[in-house]
Every structure is written in structure tokens, then in C-alpha cells.
């Protein structure tokens, strides 16, 4: 089976019952995405597939052949942080860091949803063409990503600092 993970192509052979999370962690040794609940409740396993955020613990890997799979390792690293990673550092958006890769991937997926005009539960006008990234919208749209350390205020600040009030702008900060 053919996969594209963080821009690298790979031919992989594995049990077709393998979840995408297990494929990434156990077969590709990409340990950024975490196995928290393994049942779709915590968001620690969030990755991007063709720019859309998904819980990789609930996804069968075979479904995502030939898709562009992006994990936190594909966004940036210590030598060149993604702007949102840098903002998490600057705003104390994490403590233990367990949830952080999922938070960052999820936030990037959320911004894509804003661009597409996808409403949330708290959107007043679901027919609107676009949505401002208010605190309420941000907290609702990120509610699938839990942080046991309670670093939510820093997470909100980091996302706002990176994407601004409309959320639809590309990252404004330069990578560190
Ligand atoms: Fe996937 Fe918790 S490990 S949602
Ligand atoms: Fe520890 Fe979020 S930083 S769980």
C-alpha cells in the first residue's frame, strides 16, 4: 500500500485492520500524535489528511492511501518551528506537552474549516459566508482537543496570535 506521510512516499505492508494512529506510531515511528483515549474522545491523535483534521485513532489506515498525511513532525521541528508551534512556546500553550501535537494539528484544520465557511455550534448565522475567530468560536471548534494540564488560556492566545481575529488569514508570524 502506498502512503504519503509528511511529504515522504512509502510502500507499506501491514494488517489492514491497523488504525492510522498505529501505522504512524508503530510502523513509521512518528510518535508526535499521541494515543490518549484510543476512542475518539480526547483529540491527542489528531493529524491532517489533505488538510482536514481527523482523529487518527478512529481511522483505518488503508482508507488514506495516496492522501497527504501530515503529523506534527511534518509541520516543523526544533530548528525551524511552525509559526503556531512558536506561538505555543511563547504563550505557554502547554505544560506536559502530551496534547500539544494534536492541538496544533487541530488548530490548523480548524482554520481551513473557517476558510471553507463551515459553521460551528455557536455560530449565530450558519448561512454566513465566513466566521470570525472569536474566543467562543475558537473554544467550541477546539473542544474536541482536551488538555489534562488545563493550558487552555495559553492555547487560545497562541492560536489568536498566529491567525488573528478572522482566523482565515495565513500565519502572520515568521517561523522562529
Ligand atoms: Fe484519538 Fe483520543 S487517542 S481521540
Ligand atoms: Fe499536558 Fe495538554 S499540556 S495535557
Amino acid at each position: 500500500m502506498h502512503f504519503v506521510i509528511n511529504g515522504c512516499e512509502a510502500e507499506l505492508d501491514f494488517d489492514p485492520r491497523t488504525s492510522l494512529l498505529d501505522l504512524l506510531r508503530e510502523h513509521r515511528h512518528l510518535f508526535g500524535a499521541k494515543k490518549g483515549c484510543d476512542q475518539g474522545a480526547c483529540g491527542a491523535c489528531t493529524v491532517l489528511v489533505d488538510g482536514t483534521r481527523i482523529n487518527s485513532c478512529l481511522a483505518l489506515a488503508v482508507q488514506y492511501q495516496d492522501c497527504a498525511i501530515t503529523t506534527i513532525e511534518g509541520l516543523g521541528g526544533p530548528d525551524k518551528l511552525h509559526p503556531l508551534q512558536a506561538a505555543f512556546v511563547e504563550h505557554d500553550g502547554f505544560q506536559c506537552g502530551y496534547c500539544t501535537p494534536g492541538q496544533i494539528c487541530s488548530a490548523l484544520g480548524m482554520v481551513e474549516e473557517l476558510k471553507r465557511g463551515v459553521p460551528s455550534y455557536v455560530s449565530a448565522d450558519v448561512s454566513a459566508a465566513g466566521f470570525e475567530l472569536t474566543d467562543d468560536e475558537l473554544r467550541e471548534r477546539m473542544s474536541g482537543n482536551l488538555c489534562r494540564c488545563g493550558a487552555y488560556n495559553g492555547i487560545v492566545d497562541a492560536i489568536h496570535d498566529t491567525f488573528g481575529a478572522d482566523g482565515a488569514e495565513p500565519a502572520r508570524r515568521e517561523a522562529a
Side-chain angles (χ1 to χ4, degrees):
M1 289 174 272
H2 180 255
F3 286 85
V4 183
I5 303 172
N6 296 332
C8 298
E9 299 191 35
E11 297 294 330
L12 304 174
D13 185 19
F14 54 88
D15 186 322
R17 296 168 294 183
T18 302
S19 73
L20 180 57
L21 179 60
D22 284 342
L23 178 77
L24 294 170
R25 291 181 57 87
E26 307 303 328
H27 294 260
R28 303 307 292 167
H29 300 147
L30 294 167
F31 298 118
K34 300 297 190 294
K35 184 178 284 189
C37 63
D38 207 22
Q39 54 184 343
C42 74
C45 64
T46 306
V47 299
L48 297 166
V49 176
D50 292 335
T52 298
R53 55 181 174 173
I54 66 167
N55 289 334
S56 61
C57 71
L58 294 183
L60 279 176
V62 294
Q63 295 176 270
Y64 300 98
Q65 295 177 74
D66 299 319
C67 297
I69 299 165
T70 305
T71 70
I72 193 72
E73 292 91 343
L75 294 176
D79 294 337
K80 187 171 177 59
L81 295 177
H82 183 281
L84 187 53
Q85 289 176 308
F88 266 66
V89 173
E90 184 176 328
H91 292 280
D92 290 331
F94 61 92
Q95 291 183 33
C96 75
Y98 193 86
C99 72
T100 311
Q103 301 277 5
I104 290 174
C105 287
S106 187
L108 294 173
M110 173 189 67
V111 168
E112 290 302 311
E113 290 163 15
L114 285 169
K115 287 180 186 173
R116 297 201 307 270
V118 177
S120 79
Y121 179 73
V122 299
S123 300
D125 178 6
V126 297
S127 64
F131 302 96
E132 286 202 359
L133 190 57
T134 62
D135 268 8
D136 283 349
E137 284 280 8
L138 194 160
R139 290 177 185 276
E140 166 61 24
R141 290 172 186 269
M142 291 295 293
S143 62
N145 290 81
L146 305 183
C147 175
R148 296 291 292 270
C149 297
Y152 294 111
N153 289 338
I155 292 169
V156 169
D157 288 347
I159 295 171
H160 274 317
D161 188 26
T162 305
F163 297 107
D166 55 13
E169 293 296 319
R172 297 172 177 172
R173 299 156 49 97
E174 293 298 318

